[in-house]
């Protein structure tokens, strides 16, 4: 499986990894790619078709999530601002769901239904693993966030 990942990196099918500005994001994204690649057991041909579609999907999801960051902290909002936040949050979640539905169809064009199902589960497992790593680091550092340079 490592051969497939090396193959993908060498051919540049994962430009999103290198396009980001922060090294931590690069590491997390590289971990995500390795995790998903291993879970899906992608052939080189599948990987060549899958990763550009997946990166496009993740990019669009990231753009939608930016809308949620445009608000000030909830505890500083007026009632009207909170109402606007609630509406925008629900609207964003609906748009994210529509995007997931659209890209599930695109993933099905290049992967089997079984692999698309594994992808969905693997994304959740990766998030859980990442959150656990963060919690472990905080616990090992006495509750203080750690920074590595």
């Amino acid at each position: 499986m490592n051969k497939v990942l090396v193959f993908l990196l060498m051919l540049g099918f994962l430009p999103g990894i290198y396009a980001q500005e922060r090294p931590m994001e690069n590491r997390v994204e590289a971990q995500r790619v390795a995790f998903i690649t291993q879970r899906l057991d992608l052939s080189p041909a599948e990987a060549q078709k899958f990763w550009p579609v997946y990166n496009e999907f993740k990019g669009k999801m990231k753009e939608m999530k930016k809308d949620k960051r445009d608000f000030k902290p909830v505890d500083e909002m007026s009632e009207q601002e909170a109402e606007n936040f609630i509406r925008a949050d629900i609207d964003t979640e609906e748009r994210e769901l529509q995007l997931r539905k659209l890209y599930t169809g695109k993933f099905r064009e290049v992967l089997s239904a079984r692999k698309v199902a594994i992808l969905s589960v693997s994304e959740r497992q990766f998030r859980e693993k990442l959150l656990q790593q963060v919690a472990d680091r905080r616990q090992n550092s006495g509750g203080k966030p750690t920074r590595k340079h």
Side-chain angles (χ1 to χ4, degrees):
M1 193 44 51
N2 290 334
K3 291 178 185 178
V4 171
L5 184 57
V6 170
F7 171 77
L8 291 172
L9 292 172
M10 286 175 44
L11 292 178
F13 289 114
L14 305 172
I17 290 175
Y18 299 103
Q20 297 176 9
E21 296 174 4
R22 299 192 315 216
M24 181 57 117
E25 287 181 35
N26 291 345
R27 283 193 300 260
V28 169
E29 196 57 29
Q31 288 176 354
R32 177 190 321 276
V33 168
F35 188 85
I36 290 172
T37 297
Q38 187 265 333
R39 291 293 197 272
L40 293 181
D41 192 26
L42 297 173
S43 70
E46 287 174 322
Q48 185 177 4
K49 293 176 185 175
F50 169 74
W51 285 111
V53 176
Y54 185 80
N55 289 335
E56 182 180 298
F57 167 68
K58 292 305 273 187
K60 289 182 180 186
M61 288 295 278
K62 187 175 182 177
E63 283 299 313
M64 281 189 200
K65 290 182 187 310
K66 282 183 182 178
D67 294 346
K68 290 182 179 182
R69 291 188 294 251
D70 290 340
F71 289 90
K72 63 182 167 183
V74 176
D75 57 349
E76 297 176 14
M77 290 181 183
S78 68
E79 278 298 307
Q80 186 58 53
E81 289 169 328
E83 186 66 37
N84 293 341
F85 172 81
I86 292 167
R87 286 189 183 126
D89 189 48
I90 291 170
D91 179 58
T92 300
E93 287 183 20
E94 286 176 344
R95 289 185 294 128
E96 287 174 355
L97 178 60
Q98 291 305 315
L99 190 65
R100 287 185 63 81
K101 287 179 179 179
L102 173 68
Y103 275 84
T104 295
K106 290 184 177 198
F107 296 146
R108 281 289 293 120
E109 292 174 9
V110 297
L111 299 175
S112 68
R114 182 177 175 279
K115 285 189 178 186
V116 173
I118 291 170
L119 171 64
S120 180
V121 170
S122 296
E123 287 179 312
R124 281 191 292 276
Q125 289 173 336
F126 181 78
R127 277 191 301 275
E128 291 167 5
K129 178 182 171 187
L130 200 57
L131 289 171
Q132 186 60 52
Q133 288 174 351
V134 170
D136 290 347
R137 277 195 204 117
R138 285 192 176 157
Q139 184 178 15
N140 292 336
S141 68
K144 298 178 185 174
T146 59
R147 291 184 78 159
K148 293 183 180 179
H149 295 282

Coordinates of all heavy atoms in Angstrom, one line a residue, residues 12-78:
G12 N 2.0 13.7 -8.4 CA 1.4 15.0 -8.1 C -0.1 14.9 -8.1 O -0.8 15.9 -8.3
F13 N -0.7 13.8 -7.8 CA -2.2 13.7 -7.7 C -2.8 14.3 -6.4 O -4.0 14.3 -6.3 CB -2.7 12.3 -7.9 CG -2.5 11.8 -9.3 CD1 -1.6 10.7 -9.6 CD2 -3.2 12.4 -10.3 CE1 -1.4 10.3 -10.9 CE2 -3.0 11.9 -11.6 CZ -2.1 10.9 -11.9
L14 N -1.9 14.7 -5.5 CA -2.3 15.2 -4.3 C -1.8 16.6 -4.0 O -1.2 17.0 -3.1 CB -1.8 14.3 -3.1 CG -2.2 12.8 -3.3 CD1 -1.5 12.0 -2.3 CD2 -3.7 12.7 -3.2
P15 N -2.2 17.5 -5.0 CA -1.6 18.9 -4.9 C -2.1 19.6 -3.6 O -1.5 20.5 -3.1 CB -2.1 19.6 -6.1 CG -3.3 18.8 -6.5 CD -3.1 17.4 -6.1
G16 N -3.3 19.3 -3.1 CA -3.8 19.9 -1.9 C -2.9 19.8 -0.7 O -2.9 20.7 0.1
I17 N -2.1 18.8 -0.6 CA -1.2 18.6 0.5 C -0.2 19.7 0.5 O 0.1 20.2 1.6 CB -0.5 17.2 0.4 CG1 -1.5 16.1 0.7 CG2 0.6 17.1 1.4 CD1 -1.0 14.7 0.6
Y18 N 0.3 20.0 -0.6 CA 1.4 21.0 -0.7 C 1.0 22.4 -0.9 O 1.7 23.3 -0.7 CB 2.4 20.6 -1.8 CG 3.0 19.2 -1.5 CD1 2.5 18.1 -2.2 CD2 3.9 19.1 -0.6 CE1 3.0 16.9 -1.9 CE2 4.4 17.8 -0.3 CZ 3.9 16.7 -1.0 OH 4.4 15.5 -0.7
A19 N -0.3 22.6 -1.2 CA -0.8 23.9 -1.5 C -1.1 24.7 -0.2 O -1.3 25.9 -0.2 CB -2.0 23.9 -2.4
Q20 N -1.2 24.0 0.9 CA -1.6 24.6 2.1 C -0.4 25.3 2.7 O 0.8 25.0 2.5 CB -2.1 23.6 3.1 CG -3.4 23.0 2.6 CD -4.0 21.9 3.4 OE1 -3.5 21.7 4.5 NE2 -4.9 21.2 3.0
E21 N -0.7 26.3 3.6 CA 0.4 27.2 4.1 C 1.0 26.6 5.4 O 2.2 26.9 5.7 CB -0.2 28.6 4.4 CG -0.6 29.2 3.1 CD -1.3 30.6 3.4 OE1 -1.3 31.0 4.5 OE2 -1.7 31.2 2.4
R22 N 0.3 25.9 6.2 CA 0.8 25.5 7.5 C 1.3 24.1 7.6 O 0.6 23.2 7.1 CB -0.3 25.8 8.6 CG -0.7 27.2 8.6 CD -1.5 27.6 9.8 NE -2.6 26.7 10.1 CZ -3.8 27.1 10.5 NH1 -4.0 28.4 10.6 NH2 -4.7 26.3 10.8
P23 N 2.5 23.9 8.2 CA 3.0 22.5 8.2 C 2.2 21.5 8.9 O 2.1 20.4 8.5 CB 4.4 22.8 9.0 CG 4.7 24.2 8.8 CD 3.4 24.9 8.7
M24 N 1.5 21.9 10.0 CA 0.6 21.0 10.7 C -0.5 20.5 9.8 O -0.8 19.3 9.8 CB 0.0 21.7 12.0 CG -0.9 20.7 12.8 SD 0.0 19.2 13.2 CE 0.0 19.4 15.0
E25 N -1.1 21.4 9.1 CA -2.1 21.0 8.1 C -1.6 20.0 7.1 O -2.3 19.1 6.7 CB -2.7 22.2 7.4 CG -3.6 23.0 8.3 CD -4.2 24.2 7.5 OE1 -4.5 24.1 6.3 OE2 -4.4 25.3 8.2
N26 N -0.3 20.3 6.7 CA 0.3 19.4 5.7 C 0.4 18.0 6.3 O 0.2 17.0 5.6 CB 1.7 19.9 5.3 CG 1.6 21.1 4.5 OD1 0.6 21.5 3.9 ND2 2.8 21.8 4.4
R27 N 0.9 17.9 7.5 CA 1.0 16.6 8.2 C -0.3 15.9 8.4 O -0.4 14.7 8.1 CB 1.7 16.8 9.5 CG 3.2 17.0 9.4 CD 3.9 16.8 10.8 NE 3.4 17.7 11.8 CZ 4.0 18.9 12.1 NH1 5.1 19.2 11.6 NH2 3.5 19.6 13.1
V28 N -1.3 16.6 8.8 CA -2.6 16.0 9.0 C -3.2 15.6 7.7 O -3.7 14.4 7.6 CB -3.6 17.1 9.6 CG1 -5.0 16.5 9.6 CG2 -3.2 17.3 11.1
E29 N -3.0 16.4 6.6 CA -3.5 15.9 5.3 C -2.8 14.7 4.8 O -3.4 13.8 4.2 CB -3.4 17.1 4.3 CG -4.3 16.9 3.1 CD -5.8 16.6 3.3 OE1 -6.3 17.1 4.3 OE2 -6.4 15.9 2.5
A30 N -1.5 14.7 5.0 CA -0.7 13.5 4.6 C -1.2 12.3 5.3 O -1.3 11.2 4.8 CB 0.8 13.8 4.8
Q31 N -1.4 12.4 6.6 CA -1.9 11.3 7.4 C -3.3 10.9 6.9 O -3.6 9.7 6.9 CB -2.1 11.7 8.9 CG -0.7 11.8 9.6 CD -0.9 12.3 11.0 OE1 -2.0 12.6 11.5 NE2 0.2 12.3 11.8
R32 N -4.2 11.8 6.6 CA -5.5 11.5 6.0 C -5.4 10.7 4.7 O -6.0 9.7 4.6 CB -6.3 12.8 5.8 CG -7.7 12.5 5.2 CD -8.4 13.8 4.7 NE -8.2 14.9 5.5 CZ -9.0 15.2 6.6 NH1 -9.9 14.4 7.0 NH2 -8.7 16.3 7.3
V33 N -4.5 11.2 3.9 CA -4.3 10.5 2.6 C -3.8 9.0 2.8 O -4.4 8.1 2.2 CB -3.3 11.3 1.7 CG1 -2.9 10.4 0.5 CG2 -4.0 12.6 1.2
A34 N -2.8 8.9 3.7 CA -2.3 7.6 3.9 C -3.4 6.7 4.6 O -3.5 5.5 4.2 CB -1.1 7.6 4.9
F35 N -4.1 7.2 5.5 CA -5.2 6.5 6.2 C -6.3 6.0 5.2 O -6.6 4.8 5.2 CB -5.8 7.3 7.3 CG -6.8 6.6 8.2 CD1 -6.3 6.0 9.3 CD2 -8.1 6.7 8.0 CE1 -7.2 5.3 10.2 CE2 -9.0 6.0 8.8 CZ -8.5 5.4 10.0
I36 N -6.7 6.9 4.4 CA -7.8 6.6 3.4 C -7.3 5.6 2.4 O -8.0 4.7 2.0 CB -8.4 7.9 2.8 CG1 -9.2 8.6 3.9 CG2 -9.3 7.5 1.6 CD1 -9.7 10.0 3.5
T37 N -6.1 5.9 1.9 CA -5.5 5.0 0.9 C -5.4 3.6 1.4 O -5.8 2.6 0.7 CB -4.1 5.5 0.4 OG1 -4.3 6.8 -0.2 CG2 -3.5 4.6 -0.6
Q38 N -4.9 3.4 2.6 CA -4.8 2.1 3.2 C -6.1 1.5 3.4 O -6.3 0.3 3.1 CB -4.0 2.2 4.5 CG -3.7 0.9 5.2 CD -4.7 0.5 6.2 OE1 -5.4 1.3 6.8 NE2 -4.8 -0.8 6.4
R39 N -7.1 2.2 3.9 CA -8.4 1.6 4.2 C -9.2 1.2 2.9 O -9.8 0.2 2.8 CB -9.3 2.6 4.9 CG -8.9 2.9 6.3 CD -9.1 1.7 7.2 NE -9.1 2.0 8.6 CZ -8.0 2.0 9.4 NH1 -6.8 1.8 8.9 NH2 -8.2 2.3 10.7
L40 N -9.0 2.0 1.8 CA -9.7 1.7 0.6 C -9.0 0.7 -0.3 O -9.5 0.1 -1.2 CB -9.9 3.0 -0.3 CG -10.8 4.1 0.3 CD1 -10.9 5.3 -0.7 CD2 -12.2 3.5 0.6
D41 N -7.7 0.5 0.0 CA -6.9 -0.5 -0.7 C -7.0 -0.1 -2.2 O -7.4 -1.0 -3.1 CB -7.3 -1.9 -0.4 CG -6.3 -2.9 -1.0 OD1 -5.1 -2.6 -1.1 OD2 -6.7 -4.1 -1.3
L42 N -6.7 1.1 -2.6 CA -6.8 1.6 -3.9 C -5.8 1.0 -4.9 O -4.6 1.0 -4.5 CB -6.7 3.1 -4.0 CG -7.8 3.9 -3.3 CD1 -7.4 5.4 -3.3 CD2 -9.2 3.7 -3.9
S43 N -6.2 0.6 -6.0 CA -5.2 0.2 -7.1 C -4.7 1.6 -7.6 O -5.3 2.6 -7.5 CB -5.9 -0.5 -8.2 OG -6.7 0.3 -8.9
P44 N -3.5 1.5 -8.3 CA -3.0 2.8 -8.9 C -4.0 3.4 -9.8 O -4.1 4.6 -9.8 CB -1.7 2.3 -9.6 CG -1.3 1.1 -8.8 CD -2.5 0.4 -8.4
A45 N -4.7 2.6 -10.6 CA -5.7 3.2 -11.5 C -6.9 3.9 -10.8 O -7.3 4.9 -11.2 CB -6.3 2.1 -12.5
E46 N -7.3 3.2 -9.7 CA -8.4 3.8 -8.9 C -7.9 5.1 -8.2 O -8.6 6.1 -8.2 CB -8.8 2.8 -7.8 CG -9.7 1.7 -8.3 CD -9.9 0.7 -7.2 OE1 -9.1 0.4 -6.3 OE2 -11.1 0.1 -7.2
A47 N -6.7 5.0 -7.7 CA -6.1 6.2 -7.0 C -6.0 7.4 -8.0 O -6.3 8.5 -7.6 CB -4.8 5.8 -6.4
Q48 N -5.6 7.1 -9.2 CA -5.4 8.2 -10.2 C -6.7 8.9 -10.5 O -6.8 10.1 -10.7 CB -4.8 7.6 -11.5 CG -4.5 8.6 -12.5 CD -3.9 8.0 -13.7 OE1 -3.7 6.8 -13.8 NE2 -3.5 8.8 -14.7
K49 N -7.8 8.1 -10.5 CA -9.1 8.7 -10.7 C -9.8 9.3 -9.4 O -10.5 10.3 -9.5 CB -10.1 7.7 -11.3 CG -9.6 7.2 -12.7 CD -10.5 6.1 -13.2 CE -10.1 5.5 -14.5 NZ -10.8 4.4 -14.9
F50 N -9.5 8.6 -8.3 CA -10.2 9.0 -7.1 C -9.7 10.3 -6.5 O -10.5 11.2 -6.1 CB -10.1 7.9 -6.0 CG -10.5 8.3 -4.7 CD1 -11.9 8.4 -4.4 CD2 -9.6 8.5 -3.7 CE1 -12.3 8.8 -3.1 CE2 -10.0 8.9 -2.4 CZ -11.3 9.0 -2.1
W51 N -8.3 10.4 -6.3 CA -7.8 11.5 -5.5 C -8.1 12.9 -6.1 O -8.5 13.8 -5.3 CB -6.3 11.4 -5.3 CG -6.1 10.3 -4.2 CD1 -5.6 9.1 -4.4 CD2 -6.5 10.4 -2.8 NE1 -5.6 8.4 -3.2 CE2 -6.1 9.2 -2.2 CE3 -7.1 11.4 -2.1 CZ2 -6.4 9.0 -0.9 CZ3 -7.3 11.2 -0.7 CH2 -7.0 10.0 -0.1
P52 N -8.1 13.1 -7.4 CA -8.5 14.5 -7.9 C -10.0 14.8 -7.5 O -10.3 15.9 -7.2 CB -8.3 14.4 -9.4 CG -7.3 13.3 -9.6 CD -7.6 12.3 -8.5
V53 N -10.9 13.8 -7.6 CA -12.3 14.0 -7.3 C -12.4 14.3 -5.8 O -13.1 15.2 -5.4 CB -13.2 12.8 -7.7 CG1 -14.6 13.0 -7.3 CG2 -13.1 12.6 -9.2
Y54 N -11.7 13.5 -5.0 CA -11.7 13.7 -3.5 C -11.2 15.1 -3.1 O -11.8 15.8 -2.3 CB -11.0 12.6 -2.8 CG -11.1 12.6 -1.3 CD1 -12.2 12.1 -0.7 CD2 -10.0 13.2 -0.6 CE1 -12.3 12.2 0.7 CE2 -10.1 13.2 0.8 CZ -11.3 12.7 1.4 OH -11.4 12.8 2.8
N55 N -10.1 15.5 -3.7 CA -9.5 16.8 -3.4 C -10.4 17.9 -3.8 O -10.5 18.9 -3.1 CB -8.1 16.9 -4.0 CG -7.1 16.0 -3.4 OD1 -7.2 15.6 -2.2 ND2 -6.1 15.7 -4.2
E56 N -11.1 17.8 -4.9 CA -12.1 18.8 -5.3 C -13.2 18.9 -4.3 O -13.6 19.9 -3.9 CB -12.6 18.4 -6.7 CG -13.6 19.3 -7.3 CD -14.1 18.8 -8.6 OE1 -13.2 18.7 -9.6 OE2 -15.3 18.6 -8.8
F57 N -13.7 17.7 -3.9 CA -14.7 17.6 -2.9 C -14.3 18.3 -1.6 O -15.0 19.2 -1.0 CB -15.1 16.2 -2.6 CG -16.0 16.0 -1.4 CD1 -17.3 16.4 -1.4 CD2 -15.5 15.3 -0.3 CE1 -18.1 16.2 -0.2 CE2 -16.3 15.0 0.8 CZ -17.6 15.5 0.9
K58 N -13.1 18.0 -1.1 CA -12.6 18.5 0.2 C -12.4 20.0 0.1 O -12.7 20.8 1.0 CB -11.3 17.9 0.6 CG -11.5 16.4 1.0 CD -12.5 16.2 2.1 CE -11.9 16.4 3.5 NZ -12.8 16.0 4.5
G59 N -12.0 20.5 -1.1 CA -11.8 21.9 -1.3 C -13.1 22.7 -1.2 O -13.2 23.7 -0.6
K60 N -14.2 22.1 -1.8 CA -15.5 22.7 -1.8 C -16.1 22.7 -0.4 O -16.7 23.7 0.0 CB -16.4 22.1 -2.8 CG -16.0 22.4 -4.2 CD -17.0 21.8 -5.2 CE -16.5 22.2 -6.7 NZ -17.5 21.7 -7.7
M61 N -15.9 21.6 0.3 CA -16.3 21.5 1.7 C -15.6 22.6 2.6 O -16.3 23.3 3.4 CB -16.1 20.1 2.3 CG -17.0 19.1 1.7 SD -18.8 19.4 2.1 CE -18.8 18.7 3.8
K62 N -14.4 22.8 2.4 CA -13.6 23.7 3.1 C -14.1 25.2 2.9 O -14.2 26.0 3.8 CB -12.1 23.6 2.8 CG -11.2 24.5 3.6 CD -9.7 24.2 3.3 CE -8.8 25.0 4.2 NZ -7.4 24.7 3.9
E63 N -14.4 25.4 1.6 CA -15.0 26.8 1.3 C -16.3 27.0 2.0 O -16.5 28.1 2.5 CB -15.2 26.9 -0.3 CG -13.9 27.1 -1.0 CD -13.2 28.4 -0.6 OE1 -13.9 29.5 -0.5 OE2 -12.0 28.4 -0.4
M64 N -17.1 26.0 2.0 CA -18.4 26.1 2.7 C -18.2 26.4 4.2 O -19.0 27.2 4.8 CB -19.3 24.9 2.5 CG -20.0 24.9 1.2 SD -21.1 23.5 1.2 CE -21.3 23.3 -0.6
K65 N -17.3 25.7 4.8 CA -17.0 25.9 6.2 C -16.5 27.3 6.5 O -16.7 27.8 7.7 CB -16.1 24.8 6.7 CG -16.7 23.5 6.7 CD -15.8 22.4 7.3 CE -16.3 21.0 7.1 NZ -17.6 20.7 7.6
K66 N -15.9 28.0 5.6 CA -15.5 29.4 5.8 C -16.6 30.3 6.1 O -16.5 31.2 6.9 CB -14.8 29.9 4.6 CG -13.4 29.4 4.4 CD -12.7 30.1 3.2 CE -11.3 29.6 3.0 NZ -10.7 30.2 1.8
D67 N -17.8 30.0 5.6 CA -19.0 30.8 5.9 C -19.3 30.8 7.4 O -19.8 31.7 7.9 CB -20.2 30.2 5.1 CG -20.1 30.4 3.6 OD1 -19.2 31.1 3.1 OD2 -20.9 29.7 2.9
K68 N -19.1 29.6 8.0 CA -19.3 29.5 9.4 C -18.4 30.3 10.3 O -18.7 30.8 11.4 CB -19.3 28.1 9.9 CG -20.4 27.2 9.4 CD -20.3 25.8 9.9 CE -21.4 24.9 9.4 NZ -21.4 23.6 9.9
R69 N -17.2 30.6 9.8 CA -16.2 31.3 10.5 C -16.3 32.8 10.4 O -15.6 33.6 11.1 CB -14.8 30.9 10.0 CG -14.4 29.5 10.4 CD -13.0 29.2 10.1 NE -12.7 29.3 8.7 CZ -12.4 28.2 7.9 NH1 -12.4 27.0 8.4 NH2 -12.2 28.4 6.6
D70 N -17.2 33.3 9.6 CA -17.4 34.7 9.4 C -18.2 35.4 10.5 O -18.3 36.6 10.5 CB -18.2 35.0 8.0 CG -17.3 34.7 6.8 OD1 -16.0 34.6 7.0 OD2 -17.8 34.5 5.7
F71 N -18.6 34.6 11.5 CA -19.4 35.2 12.6 C -18.5 35.4 13.8 O -17.5 34.7 14.0 CB -20.6 34.2 13.0 CG -21.7 34.2 11.9 CD1 -21.6 33.3 10.9 CD2 -22.7 35.1 12.0 CE1 -22.6 33.2 9.9 CE2 -23.7 35.1 11.1 CZ -23.7 34.1 10.0
K72 N -18.9 36.4 14.6 CA -18.1 36.5 15.9 C -18.5 35.5 16.9 O -19.5 34.7 16.6 CB -18.4 37.9 16.4 CG -19.8 38.3 16.8 CD -19.8 39.7 17.3 CE -21.2 40.3 17.4 NZ -21.2 41.7 17.8
P73 N -17.8 35.3 18.0 CA -18.2 34.3 18.9 C -19.6 34.4 19.4 O -20.2 35.5 19.6 CB -17.2 34.6 20.1 CG -16.1 35.3 19.5 CD -16.7 36.1 18.3
V74 N -20.3 33.2 19.5 CA -21.7 33.2 19.9 C -22.0 33.9 21.2 O -23.0 34.6 21.2 CB -22.1 31.7 20.0 CG1 -23.6 31.6 20.4 CG2 -22.0 31.0 18.7
D75 N -21.2 33.9 22.2 CA -21.4 34.5 23.4 C -21.3 36.1 23.3 O -21.7 36.8 24.2 CB -20.6 34.0 24.6 CG -19.1 34.1 24.3 OD1 -18.7 34.4 23.1 OD2 -18.3 33.9 25.2
E76 N -20.9 36.6 22.2 CA -20.8 38.0 22.0 C -21.9 38.5 21.0 O -22.0 39.7 20.7 CB -19.5 38.4 21.4 CG -18.3 38.1 22.3 CD -17.0 38.4 21.7 OE1 -16.9 39.1 20.6 OE2 -15.9 37.9 22.3
M77 N -22.8 37.6 20.5 CA -23.8 37.9 19.5 C -25.0 38.6 20.2 O -25.5 38.2 21.3 CB -24.3 36.7 18.8 CG -23.3 36.1 17.9 SD -24.0 34.7 17.0 CE -22.5 34.2 16.1
S78 N -25.6 39.5 19.4 CA -27.0 40.0 19.8 C -28.0 38.9 19.4 O -27.6 38.0 18.7 CB -27.2 41.3 19.0 OG -27.4 41.0 17.6

